[in-house]
Amino acid sequence: MVAGALGLVAIYLATFALYVVVPGRWVDGYVTDDAGRPLRYHLNGLPVFLLVVGGAVALAALGVVPADFIYVHRVEMLVSAVVVGLIFTAAIVVPAPPTGKPLAADLYLGRWKNPQWLGGRVDAKMFLYLVGAVMLELCLLSFAAHHHATHRADPSPGVALYVALFSFFLVEYLFFERVHLYTYDFVAERVGFKLGWGCLAFYPFFYCIGLWFAASQPDPHVHPAWLVASAALFFCGWGLARGANLQKFHFKTEPQRTSFGPLPQRALAEGDRRILVGGLWGLSRHINYMGELLMASGLALALGYPGSIWPWLYPLYYIALLVPRQIDDDRRCAAKYGPLWREYQRTVRYRIVPWVY
Ligand code: NDP
């Protein structure tokens, strides 16, 4: 228990220390302070991620720490992450001014919207996403190391593909860190159990649930075309999610542009309120969520065990996360945009999956 707990705390502290000291670039966010000024953000997620993961890989290569340390201590590390997440939740919620809701609601959803210290150098949300991504990547690598060590003669190419696709997902998320300042998490969410415990415990240990199962399994010997199709599905989803998120980012930051690559930046407008209805945003009102679901399905399939429930828990979780999120975002936007939002709902009829939902 002690080794796993110390390992987890060491990873989280190292990530925090590097997050504070590694140079990055300063940008304006989308969220504003009480005076209407955009919050400032210090973006250094990708270099910090590469330093921590590179450092851990180097320690494993030198034999200082076994490559499958996290796999071997996975349950202790998960329990420790749950405890760290609970301590974080209490520490960030209890001292903040109450919102007027019951304490349980404040603990779950949080009180403080965008906690920042040192003028934005330390931002709670940016750090939480970063530490979750670091820990998830280390879980992926360690679980895969265990698989290769125990199935040395016949390792599964699906495990290697899964880790490669997931690593791509994490690196590209951090590469586009600035785009995420324009998402629901920043504009609508507070920092409490959902976001804090979610990033410290749930995100790193649950997102790789497929590998908790597949790491100990033999190679299922799927046809290579299966692996190609899984990767193709993943990248189709990535194109939709990243394409839509970038299209909306440019729509917000460069309103004068009439196109984003081949995609028209067509908008419904009323006064200074504008809603994007061109390109990918004409397919459904949350086409980016559909992209996310396809990526998750591609990852589940890559492991080559379509008959097992474990790899599917990840895409199923996305449905449970994104459908209520879409409903809540719709409510928020209907209040913000009024009749223009209803016109948008008539123009772009589907919520997430075109012609289905
Ligand atoms: P969106 O990117 O759709 O952002 C919603 C906000 O964007 C709305 O509140 C509104 O805010 C604005 N908006 C929505 N539609 C339009 C439009 N047509 N024109 C102009 N503005 C619009 O959703 P999220 O922030 O929830 O998701 C962002 C990405 O993060 C998605 O790809 C999602 O799948 C992904 N994600 C990933 C998760 C993960 O665990 N990997 C978890 C959750 C999300 P406003 O008007 O105030 O600008």
Side-chain angles (χ1 to χ4, degrees), residues 30 184 207 252 289 292 318 325 329 332 336-337:
Y30 186 46
Y184 175 93
Y207 275 40
K252 301 273 183 192
Y289 290 2
E292 220 79 45
Y318 263 129
R325 189 169 162 121
D329 192 50
R332 185 185 159 271
K336 176 176 173 183
Y337 291 98

Side-chain angles (χ1 to χ4, degrees), residues 91-115:
I92 200 91
V93 173
V94 174
T99 62
K101 292 187 186 142
L103 178 63
D106 274 4
L107 280 170
Y108 183 68
L109 295 169
R111 289 176 168 168
W112 205 344
K113 218 164 188 186
N114 287 288

Side-chain angles (χ1 to χ4, degrees), residues 31 110-115 125 185-191:
V31 174
R111 289 176 168 168
W112 205 344
K113 218 164 188 186
N114 287 288
K125 289 181 180 174
D185 298 9
F186 284 81
V187 296
E189 297 220 290
R190 297 170 191 272
V191 183

Side-chain angles (χ1 to χ4, degrees), residues 215-290:
S216 59
Q217 301 298 313
D219 182 8
H221 292 290
V222 292
H223 193 279
W226 178 276
L227 299 177
V228 172
S230 306
L233 186 66
F234 173 91
F235 282 110
C236 280
W238 174 70
L240 282 182
R242 178 52 62 212
N245 289 333
L246 276 178
Q247 193 193 349
K248 179 155 68 70
F249 174 73
H250 286 285
F251 179 75
K252 301 273 183 192
T253 52
E254 298 169 87
Q256 72 287 357
R257 267 172 70 165
T258 54
S259 65
F260 170 61
L263 306 174
Q265 295 290 61
R266 200 160 60 79
L268 298 175
E270 189 185 79
D272 58 356
R273 298 261 147 113
R274 296 168 74 243
I275 298 177
L276 179 59
V277 292
L280 295 171
W281 290 86
L283 297 176
S284 76
R285 302 202 295 276
H286 272 292
I287 194 68
N288 47 358
Y289 290 2
M290 159 128 176

